[in-house]
């Protein structure tokens, strides 16, 4: 896992006690070390106490940050005292990092409201944020207006901010692969490639025929095929799967992997039916599942904004995501429903996964041509769901996110499946319908909707609906 690097600005105002700044530097740097976050911070010899107060301090700070801009993921502004609002804002403007910013302020001790220990950071934070808004610099806040770095809530704030930084950095430079054409029956997965490109998200395309022809040229006894067969066998139960079908899967995996590497892709969306079954002879689900499990998300039906949603959730949680259908009601329970897809979820969602066929699709293309679909059930645990979509009518990228939980309620069916409980689910479904969102959503085994909403709304400028957003 890559180390997160945060630039750190220690705000200072000269007539407050020096010891408060010295203590804050030591405390903040200790916490960053504990959380395996690498700091970029002024040396105590570069400015008074290593803080930022004057315009000259801001220039030195900006010079330091620009020298390390390629590895800085975000900025932590900490105020051990009132701080200098212009010094902080100038440092950020001059550095031109364009990364997320978290503003933190220390609390006063009621027993220390004297000249020797008084901070006034409670007030100073308001002034800093006022200036950041004037400078048009977006920023994030801690849940408590002032909080000690020793408090667990600040540690949680910092962890959430790191998640935000990871999402912003990843989405601003995402490269997605579209393999094949959108299935004609799925107008729902249409998207605007130009809107995505405007957000820094590139889409690289390839025709399925190119993938098939390259795969068919690989010899069955090629060492790479043997390696992939071993990998598939170690990944899921292959009992009952014909050997020729496994060989086709192995070759498909080789070609897609090579294409992704050649184009520096982060994720793919594949035309997973019906051409691949009719012209190649297997389902691509197992290969897609394996890629997603390796943190290279892969979505069905050339759903590019669907795989973008998967990638966003993956970035927020540092765990694999899956693409799901909002598929079935769960009896008469209005807050539960069934997530389903024919079989491409990452193994982390379906312990004991077994390679099988896709019975529904098999009625059209012949079940013998659908080997490769996975079957398995997601156990109980936390759940975050979300969807990114391009709205051509308004020229905007928009999204919804929310949280719930996977349950162990009885569910007798096939494919990859889960029962999910979402507070006020009917309200959410009405929103999805009225806003014309797709029937696909991304899911993740975490609670990271807050980080997703903050990243997409505050820093990417997307329209975000946060279902049942917790009271701040």
């Amino acid at each position: 896992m890559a180390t997160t690097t945060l630039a750190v600005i220690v705000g200072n105002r000269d007539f407050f006690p020096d010891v408060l700044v010295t203590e804050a530097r030591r405390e903040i740097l200790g916490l960053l070390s504990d959380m395996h976050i690498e700091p970029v911070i002024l040396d105590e010899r570069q400015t008074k106490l290593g803080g930022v107060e004057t315009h000259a301090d801001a220039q030195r700070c900006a010079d330091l940050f620009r020298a390390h801009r390629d590895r800085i993921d975000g900025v932590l502004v900490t105020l051990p005292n009132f701080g200098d609002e212009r010094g902080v804002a100038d440092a950020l403007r001059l550095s031109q990092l364009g990364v997320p910013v978290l503003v933190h302020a220390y609390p006063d001790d009621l027993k220390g409201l004297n000249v020797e220990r008084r901070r006034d950071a409670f007030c100073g934070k308001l002034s800093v944020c006022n200036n950041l808004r004037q400078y048009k610099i977006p920023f994030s806040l801690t849940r408590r207006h002032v909080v000690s770095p020793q408090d667990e809530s600040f540690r949680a704030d910092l962890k959430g901010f790191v998640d935000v930084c990871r999402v912003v950095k990843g989405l601003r430079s995402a490269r997605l692969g579209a393999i094949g054409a959108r299935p004609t029956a799925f107008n729902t997965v249409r998207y605007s490639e130009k809107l995505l490109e405007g957000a820094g998200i590139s889409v690289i395309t390839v025709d399925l025929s190119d993938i098939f022809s390259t795969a068919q040229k690989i010899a069955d006894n090629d060492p790479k095929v043997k390696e992939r067969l071993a990998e598939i066998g170690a990944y899921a139960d292959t009992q009952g799967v014909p050997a020729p079908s496994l060989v086709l899967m192995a070759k498909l995996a080789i070609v897609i992997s090579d294409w992704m590497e050649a184009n520096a892709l982060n994720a793919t969306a594949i035309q997973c039916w019906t051409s691949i079954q009719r012209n190649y002879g297997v389902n691509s689900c197992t290969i897609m599942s394996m890629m997603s499990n390796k943190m290279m998300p892969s979505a069905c039906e050339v759903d590019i904004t669907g795989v973008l949603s998967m990638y966003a959730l993956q970035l927020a949680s540092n765990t694999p995501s899956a693409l799901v259908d909002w598929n079935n009601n769960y009896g008469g329970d209005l807050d539960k429903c069934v997530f389903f897809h024919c079989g491409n979820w990452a193994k982390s969602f379906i312990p004991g996964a077994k390679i099988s066929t896709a019975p529904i699709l098999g009625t059209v293309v012949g079940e013998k041509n659908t080997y490769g679909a996975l079957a398995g059930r997601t156990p109980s645990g936390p759940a975050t769901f979300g969807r990114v979509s391009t709205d051509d009518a308004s020229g905007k990228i928009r999204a919804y996110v929310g949280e719930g939980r996977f349950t162990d309620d009885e569910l007798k069916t096939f494919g990859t499946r889960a029962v999910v409980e979402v507070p006020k689910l009917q309200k959410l479904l009405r929103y999805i319908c009225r806003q014309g969102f797709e029937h696909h959503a991304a899911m993740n085994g975490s609670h990271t909707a807050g980080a997703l909403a903050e990243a997409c709304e505050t820093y990417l400028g997307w329209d975000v609906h946060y279902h049942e957003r917790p009271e701040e």
Side-chain angles (χ1 to χ4, degrees):
M1 187 186 301
T3 301
T4 298
T5 298
L6 294 184
V8 181
I9 297 175
V10 181
N12 187 26
R13 182 157 285 193
D14 191 48
F15 48 74
F16 284 88
D18 289 351
V19 67
L20 299 178
V21 177
T22 302
E23 290 172 354
R25 278 179 56 89
R26 183 168 58 247
E27 193 169 31
I28 290 292
L29 290 176
L31 177 61
L32 295 180
S33 177
D34 287 346
M35 296 181 67
H36 306 290
I37 299 171
E38 186 177 347
V40 175
I41 186 171
L42 284 168
D43 187 272
E44 290 176 299
R45 295 164 296 183
Q46 291 176 285
T47 63
K48 182 183 176 182
L49 307 174
V52 173
E53 181 175 6
T54 67
H55 188 69
D57 294 342
Q59 288 178 311
R60 293 187 184 96
C61 184
D63 289 343
L64 174 67
F65 290 175
R66 284 197 302 270
H68 297 274
R69 69 185 313 158
D70 288 345
R71 63 189 186 92
I72 291 175
D73 302 302
V75 180
L76 170 63
V77 175
T78 184
L79 300 174
N81 57 42
F82 190 98
D84 187 277
E85 60 208 56
R86 292 184 62 185
V88 171
D90 284 347
L92 289 168
R93 172 185 276 175
L94 293 170
S95 63
Q96 297 182 324
L97 295 177
V99 297
V101 177
L102 177 65
V103 183
H104 160 255
Y106 271 76
D108 271 302
D109 185 340
L110 286 177
K111 297 179 181 179
L113 290 176
N114 48 42
V115 174
E116 292 77 21
R117 298 293 303 179
R118 184 173 173 134
R119 297 181 182 275
D120 290 3
F122 188 102
C123 186
K125 181 175 179 178
L126 300 174
S127 293
V128 166
C129 292
N130 173 280
N131 275 254
L132 294 184
R133 172 127 187 190
Q134 290 186 48
Y135 284 42
K136 297 184 178 179
I137 297 172
F139 57 90
S140 300
L141 298 169
T142 53
R143 283 171 291 179
R144 298 181 185 178
H145 184 63
V146 290
V147 60
S148 168
Q150 298 177 18
D151 195 291
E152 282 301 314
S153 73
F154 180 68
R155 184 180 287 262
D157 288 335
L158 197 53
K159 180 188 178 300
F161 180 66
V162 167
D163 294 342
V164 170
C165 293
R166 199 165 49 241
V167 174
V168 172
K169 184 176 183 178
L171 293 186
R172 279 178 172 168
S173 59
R175 290 176 59 81
L176 312 176
I179 302 176
R182 168 184 59 81
T184 301
F186 271 52
N187 281 356
T188 186
V189 297
R190 287 171 168 170
Y191 67 97
S192 170
E193 193 171 332
K194 290 182 178 180
L195 285 177
L196 293 180
E197 192 66 63
I201 300 164
S202 297
V203 179
I204 312 303
T205 62
V206 67
D207 196 86
L208 269 183
S209 62
D210 292 334
I211 298 293
F212 295 162
S213 64
T214 305
Q216 288 161 353
K217 292 173 184 175
I218 302 173
D220 290 357
N221 61 353
D222 189 300
K224 289 184 178 180
V225 173
K226 294 180 179 179
E227 289 176 12
R228 291 286 179 166
L229 285 171
E231 187 179 350
I232 293 169
Y235 184 77
D237 182 358
T238 61
Q239 186 175 0
V241 182
S245 297
L246 291 171
V247 171
L248 288 173
M249 293 178 216
K251 292 180 180 181
L252 185 66
I254 293 168
V255 175
I256 292 177
S257 178
D258 288 349
W259 181 71
M260 288 187 69
E261 184 176 355
N263 290 279
L265 301 179
N266 303 110
T268 54
I270 300 175
Q271 183 191 343
C272 55
W273 60 275
T274 55
S275 177
I276 190 169
Q277 291 80 17
R278 287 174 169 153
N279 297 304
Y280 191 70
V282 292
N283 264 36
S284 55
C285 301
T286 295
I287 304 310
M288 297 168 70
S289 170
M290 293 172 74
M291 290 192 293
S292 293
N293 211 55
K294 292 178 180 178
M295 308 291 271
M296 298 183 294
S298 190
C300 316
E301 291 136 358
V302 204
D303 187 356
I304 283 292
T305 50
V307 82
L308 178 62
S309 308
M310 291 173 66
Y311 188 47
L313 266 68
Q314 174 185 297
L315 289 166
S317 66
N318 256 333
T319 60
S321 299
L323 193 73
V324 306
D325 285 348
W326 293 98
N327 211 73
N328 311 92
N329 59 292
Y330 189 76
D333 194 321
L334 297 182
D335 283 340
K336 292 179 182 177
C337 67
V338 177
F339 279 170
F340 173 84
H341 233 270
C342 55
N344 69 337
W345 296 356
K347 186 180 178 180
S348 57
F349 291 101
I350 44 173
K354 177 176 174 56
I355 301 177
S356 183
T357 58
I360 295 177
L361 190 57
T363 62
V364 177
V365 298
E367 193 166 350
K368 70 179 186 303
N369 295 316
T370 67
Y371 280 103
L374 290 176
R377 167 73 188 270
T378 302
S380 61
T384 293
F385 55 85
R387 176 73 204 194
V388 177
S389 185
T390 54
D391 186 353
D392 296 60
S394 65
K396 295 180 179 180
I397 298 176
R398 57 186 185 145
Y400 69 81
V401 297
E403 294 177 350
R405 67 182 185 95
F406 299 118
T407 77
D408 286 328
D409 292 308
E410 183 179 16
L411 182 63
K412 295 180 179 179
T413 189
F414 49 85
T416 47
R417 57 210 185 266
V419 177
V420 64
E421 183 174 25
V422 177
K424 298 186 179 179
L425 175 61
Q426 301 305 308
K427 177 183 176 182
L428 171 65
L429 293 172
R430 286 193 296 272
Y431 177 83
I432 292 171
C433 288
R434 284 174 177 155
Q435 295 299 317
F437 276 97
E438 298 80 353
H439 70 287
H440 286 164
M443 73 172 185
N444 188 274
S446 66
H447 279 159
T448 48
L452 279 167
E454 181 77 356
C456 295
E457 194 169 34
T458 302
Y459 298 104
L460 301 180
W462 300 352
D463 289 348
V464 179
H465 172 74
Y466 188 168
H467 177 65
E468 294 303 293
R469 185 193 298 262
E471 292 185 12
E472 296 181 352

